[in-house]
Amino acid sequence: YASDKPIYCIPAMAVTSRESQLYVNRVIAEHVSATPVESVSQTNDSLCVTGGLTSGEPIVIAGGAFVEEGQAVTILRGALVKS
């Protein structure tokens, strides 16, 4: 896969799908922001994606399908995007 965008391998359950588009729910200022991503590959229980993610930012790992854009959330145990 050739891309200028960084590729991040994150837990597969952090990726949600709506209308054939994959999303990762980022946490910005304690609110959910659904960010479109593209799947590059899958390894065991991780999905490698490219899109609007930044290394070190918090993302929703569990329950991503049950939160809505702009919803307030509390980080219980931080999951960060790692390159």
Side-chain angles (χ1 to χ4, degrees), residues 25-44:
N25 289 308
R26 300 181 305 147
V27 179
I28 301 172
E30 299 181 0
H31 289 82
V32 172
S33 177
T35 301
V37 295
E38 181 180 335
S39 175
V40 177
S41 65
Q42 186 169 2
T43 58
N44 298 325

Side-chain angles (χ1 to χ4, degrees), residues 18-72:
R18 276 180 279 162
E19 299 176 8
S20 301
Q21 174 64 56
L22 298 177
Y23 293 89
V24 172
N25 289 308
R26 300 181 305 147
V27 179
I28 301 172
E30 299 181 0
H31 289 82
V32 172
S33 177
T35 301
V37 295
E38 181 180 335
S39 175
V40 177
S41 65
Q42 186 169 2
T43 58
N44 298 325
D45 60 353
S46 294
L47 195 61
C48 298
V49 299
T50 187
L53 302 177
T54 302
S55 183
E57 70 183 340
I59 59 175
V60 175
I61 297 293
F66 302 103
V67 295
E68 297 178 8
E69 181 73 23
Q71 181 176 340

Side-chain angles (χ1 to χ4, degrees), residues 27 30-31 71-77:
V27 179
E30 299 181 0
H31 289 82
Q71 181 176 340
V73 293
T74 301
I75 298 173
L76 300 177
R77 186 174 58 163

